[in-house]
Amino acid sequence: RKDYREDIALVVVMGSYIYNDTHGRSDLDMFFVPKTRRGRNVSFTFILDDIGFDYWDISWERLERIAGYEEPITSIITEGKVLYCASESDRRRFDALKARALDASTTLDFVTMAGRRLEEADGDYRRLLQAQGLSDARMSSVAIIHKVAFALALVNRITVKRGRGKLKQEIMDMPLVPLDFATLYDRVFLCDDIHELQHAYGQMLENTGALIAREREAHARPCSFVEKLGGFY
């Protein structure tokens, strides 16, 4: 595989190994940045001795979007550990993305992004309300919890770091948590009635929206009387 070094800019490991939270069959997750068209062909997934290995390609352009919190996986940049760099310029480029992702100084921007993610979850909720049965409802509702988690991470100006198995505790450890979140979280996964599921998700979205609204009001930029009347006169 030495031939491919000229085709790869960077290799980063992520997941349980960087948190020292592994067991005998923990999978190994890595991503790399290809430098050439041939480099993209290196991506592969395999199982060796019952252990899964994921090695997937991701472009610099997509990393830029992730660093800007356009996707809920920003922790692969903020938490990922660099295993290989082709050049010092590649290292600097990744470090710059990491610094950008870690910059949480623009509070209102994060609150605004959180609101957008919650709006997306509202669309999934409307589909949930149209579900024809519990199985269909559960399939429709998976996206809701991920978008709510993303919105809460944004309003807290942090990243979601772990998988769904530890998502509840990760959210409960955040400084800002919606009312009754733990109870509603358990209910949406454990209830076996479609109407209860719909109601619990509706309440979760309402409580999350209230939290975001409070943070938006708390951090809103003061504006003058003239600005408030802009467009009326």
Side-chain angles (χ1 to χ4, degrees):
R1 299 190 184 278
K2 187 176 180 180
D3 294 342
Y4 282 96
R5 288 193 179 185
E6 63 186 29
D7 302 295
I8 295 173
L10 194 80
V11 178
V12 177
V13 64
M14 54 193 181
S16 57
Y17 277 88
I18 64 175
Y19 299 113
N20 294 318
D21 184 23
T22 60
H23 52 77
R25 292 189 176 179
S26 293
D27 59 351
L28 183 62
D29 296 308
M30 296 179 289
F31 73 85
F32 68 94
V33 180
K35 295 173 65 176
T36 65
R37 183 182 298 273
R38 188 176 74 150
R40 293 198 294 269
N41 297 327
V42 181
S43 180
F44 64 100
T45 299
F46 66 95
I47 296 175
L48 180 64
D49 294 331
D50 296 325
I51 297 176
F53 292 80
D54 292 309
Y55 189 61
W56 50 288
D57 68 293
I58 184 166
S59 67
W60 283 118
E61 291 74 22
R62 187 181 175 197
L63 284 177
E64 290 278 355
R65 296 193 297 272
I66 293 171
Y69 289 84
E70 295 180 39
E71 296 186 40
I73 56 173
T74 306
S75 63
I76 70 171
I77 296 176
T78 58
E79 306 293 320
K81 305 298 182 185
V82 176
L83 299 180
Y84 167 79
C85 271
S87 68
E88 189 58 35
S89 63
D90 291 318
R91 165 72 77 168
R92 288 195 299 268
R93 186 172 183 178
F94 184 78
D95 286 345
L97 288 174
K98 185 172 183 177
R100 176 187 169 197
L102 287 170
D103 181 6
S105 59
T106 54
T107 305
L108 189 56
D109 288 346
F110 276 82
V111 174
T112 300
M113 288 189 289
R116 291 175 186 152
R117 298 294 83 79
L118 196 65
E119 289 175 2
E120 294 173 2
D122 283 336
D124 296 309
Y125 180 62
R126 287 193 292 272
R127 285 188 286 275
L128 170 62
L129 293 177
Q130 298 170 359
Q132 299 302 307
L134 185 60
S135 178
D136 185 30
R138 291 200 184 282
M139 291 293 293
S140 301
S141 66
V142 170
I144 299 176
I145 198 67
H146 289 299
K147 287 171 184 172
V148 167
F150 191 13
L152 289 175
L154 286 166
V155 81
N156 280 278
R157 293 178 291 157
I158 57 178
T159 61
V160 174
K161 300 177 177 63
R162 311 304 300 273
R164 184 164 49 180
K166 300 186 179 181
L167 183 58
K168 175 188 172 183
Q169 190 57 54
E170 189 169 356
I171 291 174
M172 294 307 299
D173 289 339
M174 294 178 182
L176 301 172
V177 181
L179 182 67
D180 297 329
F181 183 82
T183 300
L184 293 169
Y185 187 96
D186 289 340
R187 189 176 300 166
V188 298
F189 283 107
L190 298 177
C191 70
D192 56 5
D193 179 82
I194 186 172
H195 300 295
E196 183 181 357
L197 180 71
Q198 292 167 337
H199 179 267
Y201 264 121
Q203 192 64 59
M204 181 186 290
L205 290 171
E206 181 179 331
N207 294 352
T208 304
L211 171 63
I212 293 172
R214 287 196 301 272
E215 288 300 297
R216 183 183 294 114
E217 183 177 355
H219 297 285
R221 181 180 66 85
C223 60
S224 68
F225 181 73
V226 173
E227 288 178 305
K228 288 182 179 179
L229 291 181
F232 287 96
Y233 297 99

